Amino acid sequence: MAKVKGDIVIDIEKCKGCELCVEACPQETLGLSKKVNSRGYLYVVKIQDNCTGCVNCALVCPDAVLKVYRKTLGKENPVAVVSNVTQDLTLTVNK
Amino acid sequence: MNERTMLSEERHFENMIQAESICTAENLVYERPGTLLDVTMHYCPGCGHGVAHRLLMEVVDELGIQSQTIGIAPVGCSVFAYNYMNIDMQEAAHGRATAAATGIKRVLPEKYVFTYQGDGDLAAIGTGETIHTCNRGENILIVFINNGVYGMTGGQMAPTTLPGMKTTTSPYGRDVKVQGYPLKIADIVATLPGSFYVTRQAVHTPAYVRKAKKAMLKSFQYQKLGKGTCFIEIVSNCPSNWKMTPVESNRWVKEHMLPYYPLGDLKVPSEKETAQ
Ligand SMILES: Cc1ncc(C[n+]2csc(CCOP(=O)(O)OP(=O)(O)O)c2C)c(N)n1
Ligand code: SF4
Ligand code: SF4
Ligand code: SF4
């Protein structure tokens, strides 16, 4: 299997330190900070550099704090965001 | 705080410097949907409302229907949904969101219309509106957040509160002999001929979040067919009023809410019905 490397970017000011992402991360990449943000919340930080970009953390985050990146190493084609929308969704009405 | 959360932030920054960054546009696999306004939401830490908002806006973005979508905000914790969703929105009186949606959809049938309501709003004060809207088969989507309590007003008992569950107005636990049984409103709606697609979802794990999003995507696609009401119940949490940490509350969802409110589709249209 090709090696996958992931990374996340944390919007510290939006994080409320709920730890749902910490719980959801299969890699134990995440933990809480020692400092607080301007709202007084501990925020999420990476405590290990072993993220695989699986997106679990971002999926459960109620505050949309996390941006996730993923790269398949040794492969030119990057993983792209694919939408499965193929239909035209314009609603037409016969009046 | 557990041990791994105590590790130093400094190490984090060291790691960042050593490794070549992969954080470039072509490697991006997830980011906040653009239609979710770039503000901090007022919800308590770990509240499922945030996830549900985000999923709805992700779907609106993916379908490219931002300018064609109208949302109806309820009374409850999500009363300020219009401050977060960058679409046209209307606030409704407590429980009346589906009535407001009926009017809006009938006047503007070319718009996608959805309501977003809590269990106090949809299943208590708004039960009548909910049932009649679904019975008339209005072509709207109803998103129902079931957290088993009145969150906004301080955790009072809701029709959806579980038997034995302690709330501020059932301090010894809900006694079904006195207060009746939890109302399975999605099951009721599924029996009505006007409903087209009825499903019960949750957002407490990544896998269920993906499923809930798929249900929302389908519901908007079904609305285009104009064949009846789509109803998505999302079994959610209320860490503040359940007096738990967010992680504990999600565990409680799994262990207590889901046995009573099992997840899955309650009414699915046949292939013939969804053929365009
Ligand atoms: C006509 C009317 N009656 C009562 C209230 C008080 N009230 C505000 S929110 C609410 C319940 C909200 O609970 P729910 O719909 O479950 O939403 P949550 O806050 O849990 O998300 C009540 C009873 C009101 N605002 N208006
Ligand atoms: S993307 Fe996956 S591996 Fe990386 S931090 Fe998030 S949950 Fe953990
Ligand atoms: S789930 Fe989101 S808000 Fe909660 S701790 Fe993680 S990043 Fe912060
Ligand atoms: S009171 Fe409950 S439902 Fe309301 S925002 Fe807080 S956790 Fe969410």
Side-chain angles (χ1 to χ4, degrees):
Chain A
M1 208 178 93
K3 202 172 173 320
V4 175
K5 181 157 174 46
D7 206 351
I8 54 164
V9 172
I10 303 158
D11 185 350
I12 289 169
E13 278 303 308
K14 284 210 186 67
C15 179
K16 295 176 184 161
C18 71
E19 292 191 277
L20 292 183
C21 56
V22 177
E23 180 83 2
C25 176
Q27 295 287 99
E28 307 201 344
T29 307
L30 306 171
L32 282 192
S33 62
K34 288 188 194 155
K35 298 175 195 142
V36 293
N37 64 18
S38 72
R39 289 170 186 268
Y41 289 119
L42 297 174
Y43 49 87
V44 142
V45 292
K46 283 202 300 181
I47 56 171
Q48 299 189 66
D49 194 20
N50 61 350
C51 172
T52 58
C54 72
V55 195
N56 274 9
C57 52
L59 286 173
V60 295
C61 175
D63 289 275
V65 168
L66 304 163
K67 239 188 204 182
V68 184
Y69 296 86
R70 190 195 306 139
K71 188 178 166 75
T72 310
L73 299 174
K75 208 174 152 202
E76 269 314 294
N77 284 347
V79 184
V81 190
V82 185
S83 161
N84 47 5
V85 179
T86 48
Q87 254 178 295
D88 171 19
L89 275 145
T90 315
L91 284 182
T92 41
V93 184
N94 304 323
K95 280 202 176 137
Chain B
M1 213 189 282
N2 62 31
E3 222 189 316
R4 68 188 146 98
T5 60
M6 295 291 288
L7 283 169
S8 78
E9 275 163 68
E10 283 71 42
R11 240 186 79 195
H12 160 64
F13 290 117
E14 262 172 40
N15 286 338
M16 299 265 286
I17 296 163
Q18 281 168 14
E20 192 192 326
S21 174
I22 61 152
C23 299
T24 52
E26 79 262 18
N27 294 330
L28 183 70
V29 281
Y30 184 86
E31 75 176 327
R32 188 187 172 90
T35 306
L36 190 67
L37 283 164
D38 195 19
V39 292
T40 302
M41 294 188 270
H42 71 282
Y43 299 116
C44 309
C47 176
H49 273 305
V51 183
H53 279 32
R54 199 194 74 221
L55 294 183
L56 269 170
M57 293 305 99
E58 282 177 17
V59 166
V60 166
D61 268 358
E62 279 179 29
L63 296 174
I65 54 172
Q66 181 185 16
S67 60
Q68 297 174 62
T69 307
I70 302 178
I72 321 291
V75 171
C77 282
S78 46
V79 65
F80 292 135
Y82 48 77
N83 284 342
Y84 309 134
M85 301 183 182
N86 194 6
I87 51 175
D88 285 335
M89 289 201 75
Q90 172 63 49
E91 174 60 44
H94 201 11
R96 316 299 181 231
T98 58
T102 298
I104 290 173
K105 181 69 182 184
R106 288 190 179 197
V107 174
L108 300 168
E110 71 282 9
K111 299 286 184 189
Y112 290 92
V113 177
F114 72 87
T115 71
Y116 184 100
Q117 303 172 260
D119 43 2
D121 191 83
L122 178 143
I125 194 168
T127 316
E129 281 76 4
T130 307
I131 292 192
H132 285 290
T133 302
C134 295
N135 196 44
R136 290 190 306 266
E138 300 295 340
N139 290 309
I140 61 165
L141 163 63
I142 298 173
V143 181
F144 168 39
I145 310 296
N146 178 5
N147 57 13
V149 287
Y150 289 5
M152 184 200 205
T153 45
Q156 290 85 358
M157 188 181 64
T160 48
T161 299
L162 297 178
M165 186 175 168
K166 286 185 180 148
T167 68
T168 48
T169 47
S170 59
Y172 304 108
R174 180 178 187 155
D175 179 355
V176 293
K177 291 218 176 72
V178 182
Q179 287 121 355
Y181 292 87
L183 200 56
K184 294 187 179 179
I185 203 102
D187 296 67
I188 298 173
V189 164
T191 64
L192 303 173
S195 61
F196 189 64
Y197 172 56
V198 183
T199 184
R200 190 182 284 119
Q201 302 288 332
V203 289
H204 63 299
T205 67
Y208 284 117
V209 170
R210 285 183 200 273
K211 283 190 192 164
K213 181 174 171 182
K214 232 175 245 164
M216 291 178 186
L217 194 87
K218 256 195 249 172
S219 300
F220 278 104
Q221 286 167 336
Y222 288 159
Q223 192 168 142
K224 192 178 173 185
L225 305 175
K227 288 190 178 167
T229 312
C230 292
F231 188 100
I232 304 176
E233 170 172 348
I234 293 178
V235 180
S236 189
N237 62 351
C238 178
S240 297
N241 289 302
W242 292 2
K243 308 199 186 337
M244 295 175 194
T245 66
V247 172
E248 285 165 357
S249 76
N250 272 354
R251 214 165 283 149
W252 206 86
V253 164
K254 178 171 169 248
E255 286 167 8
H256 298 269
M257 295 287 277
L258 298 190
Y260 201 91
Y261 298 109
L263 302 182
D265 292 338
L266 295 160
K267 188 175 195 175
V268 233
S270 67
E271 256 173 55
K272 209 175 107 206
E273 286 173 303
T274 53
Q276 298 208 32

